[in-house]
Amino acid sequence: MIMTLESCSFPIADTIALRAESVASIDTSIISVGAIIGRATPLLSHSLMIVPFVGVISTFQSDPLIRQSNTLERCLKGVEGVREGSVLRIDLQNRIHALDTLAVENALSIKLVHCGENHSLGLTMRTPGDDIDLIFGMLYSEGIIESNLDVHSLSIDSDEAKVILEDSCKFDAPEHRRRTTKSSACGVCGKESISNLLHTHGPKLRDNFSLDITSISQAAESLISSQRIFELTGGTHAAAFFSEDCELISLREDIGRHNALDKLIGSYIRQPIYSTPPLLFVSGRASFELVQKCIRFGIPIMASVGAASTLAVDMAIEHNLTLLSFVRDGRMVVHSTPHRISNY
């Protein structure tokens, strides 16, 4: 038997209504996660079916699915890389069957063809969307190509990508061979040797400008507020380019932090003419593979919401990169080359 608030007689109906009202006001990571991780906050109403853990509700055999928020269905339209799934939200007093939104993680197989020979780059776990940007960015970041002119053609069919390189492309297959699947958590997993990761080459970093500390802090707020997939799922990283005025130029998201940056860089590499932005902002920590990609592309300032690793700092110092971490609420930690930061 399925019971509703309308079918209950006093005082049971009043009891359930009071519990429903208390649930609607709860602001926790279980029911309302907006304050914790920035996701769309569920809007619960008394017309929705709430299932408290009390004896009278034990007669429930099935519960309707509650959408995470009243506006979520509209928000999902046109957003690639997300999927809804049924979940059970629980706390110490209640259980709610709901529809939750998840970031998609799928494998992308990449095969290179160079001078008539096939080479596999293995599998990359990524959030679908901007796959062409991802591939261009990955090929450039790993030194396989120097520009879009090195790519003769690129095709994607059912999560399988085929890249035909120009014969003139200086591609060294043994250097880039991978033995294992590359996960979305690590941009360097599967490399045969760690040593070839430390030979980073890129253009000379610009030194004739500085960014205001207040503007950089505002850029951090812009980064956070512009993450559409993260707002829906709480499960993606973001990388964004900003101008000298710290205005948002472009942003990419992915379940893997290095994928988000590869997508961003790839969107530029694909263009015949582009100007390298002065500031890169990442939503997570500053790991050395992200710093390496930043240096490779010639970005002089890299900022992160999270912490920086030791190797990231060492690489930034060696290559004259301004590396900032813990940028939030008007504060930041400057690890290297502070002269590009002004008004502090």
Side-chain angles (χ1 to χ4, degrees), residues 160-203:
E160 294 183 358
K162 180 179 180 180
V163 183
I164 300 179
L165 301 175
E166 295 287 355
D167 290 348
S168 58
C169 177
K170 298 179 180 179
F171 170 54
D172 185 349
E175 180 182 357
H176 298 284
R177 184 179 301 121
R178 295 174 183 271
R179 293 181 305 181
T180 60
T181 297
K182 175 181 172 184
S183 75
S184 59
C186 175
V188 299
C189 300
K191 284 288 189 180
E192 288 186 344
S193 173
I194 195 69
S195 62
N196 63 3
L197 296 171
L198 304 181
H199 300 296
T200 301
H201 303 286

Side-chain angles (χ1 to χ4, degrees), residues 221-233:
E221 297 176 2
S222 179
L223 170 76
I224 295 172
S225 64
S226 301
Q227 297 176 50
R228 191 177 182 188
I229 299 179
F230 181 84
E231 182 181 4
L232 294 171
T233 68

Side-chain angles (χ1 to χ4, degrees), residues 72-341:
L72 185 55
E73 185 172 14
R74 184 176 70 252
C75 293
L76 286 174
K77 294 181 179 179
V79 180
E80 191 174 5
V82 299
R83 189 189 72 192
E84 281 192 332
S86 60
V87 297
L88 177 63
R89 298 184 181 278
I90 62 174
D91 61 19
L92 294 179
Q93 295 178 322
N94 307 280
R95 74 181 188 204
I96 304 173
H97 287 278
L99 288 174
D100 197 17
T101 310
L102 306 174
V104 177
E105 184 176 27
N106 283 343
L108 176 65
S109 171
I110 304 176
K111 182 176 70 173
L112 299 181
V113 180
H114 184 235
C115 295
E117 295 185 4
N118 293 328
H119 306 275
S120 174
L121 287 185
L123 297 176
T124 296
M125 306 304 297
R126 96 297 186 202
T127 299
D130 302 309
D131 283 343
I132 295 179
D133 291 344
L134 171 63
I135 294 170
F136 267 89
M138 183 187 304
L139 296 180
Y140 177 81
S141 296
E142 297 195 2
I144 296 176
I145 64 174
E146 293 298 324
S147 72
N148 62 340
L149 298 178
D150 287 330
V151 177
H152 177 76
S153 65
L154 190 159
S155 60
I156 302 177
D157 182 21
S158 301
D159 293 329
E160 294 183 358
K162 180 179 180 180
V163 183
I164 300 179
L165 301 175
E166 295 287 355
D167 290 348
S168 58
C169 177
K170 298 179 180 179
F171 170 54
D172 185 349
E175 180 182 357
H176 298 284
R177 184 179 301 121
R178 295 174 183 271
R179 293 181 305 181
T180 60
T181 297
K182 175 181 172 184
S183 75
S184 59
C186 175
V188 299
C189 300
K191 284 288 189 180
E192 288 186 344
S193 173
I194 195 69
S195 62
N196 63 3
L197 296 171
L198 304 181
H199 300 296
T200 301
H201 303 286
K204 184 178 180 180
L205 303 185
R206 286 179 54 199
D207 240 347
N208 59 346
F209 77 104
S210 63
L211 300 184
D212 180 84
I213 183 174
T214 302
S215 298
I216 295 175
S217 297
Q218 292 173 349
E221 297 176 2
S222 179
L223 170 76
I224 295 172
S225 64
S226 301
Q227 297 176 50
R228 191 177 182 188
I229 299 179
F230 181 84
E231 182 181 4
L232 294 171
T233 68
T236 56
H237 295 275
F241 286 149
F242 289 84
S243 67
E244 286 194 31
D245 296 327
C246 290
E247 296 292 332
L248 178 63
I249 301 174
S250 182
L251 181 145
R252 293 291 187 274
E253 291 182 86
D254 196 276
I255 203 164
R257 59 181 180 271
H258 60 92
N259 286 344
L261 182 50
D262 280 337
K263 287 180 177 181
L264 187 62
I265 292 175
S267 68
Y268 275 64
I269 293 298
R270 291 177 59 192
Q271 307 303 318
I273 300 176
Y274 60 85
S275 177
T276 303
L279 172 63
L280 165 68
F281 228 120
V282 296
S283 61
R285 62 185 176 89
S287 56
F288 91 91
E289 73 267 25
L290 297 186
V291 170
Q292 184 186 40
K293 294 175 187 292
C294 183
I295 295 169
R296 164 77 169 146
F297 194 52
I299 305 167
I301 302 177
M302 175 177 170
S304 66
V305 175
S309 69
T310 56
L311 190 53
V313 172
D314 292 343
M315 188 176 295
I317 293 173
E318 179 182 353
H319 291 273
N320 196 38
L321 170 73
T322 299
L323 180 60
L324 314 175
S325 67
F326 293 117
V327 183
R328 62 185 73 172
D329 302 325
R331 302 188 302 270
M332 64 188 67
V333 176
V334 184
H335 295 280
S336 57
T337 323
H339 67 264
R340 294 195 184 99
I341 310 300

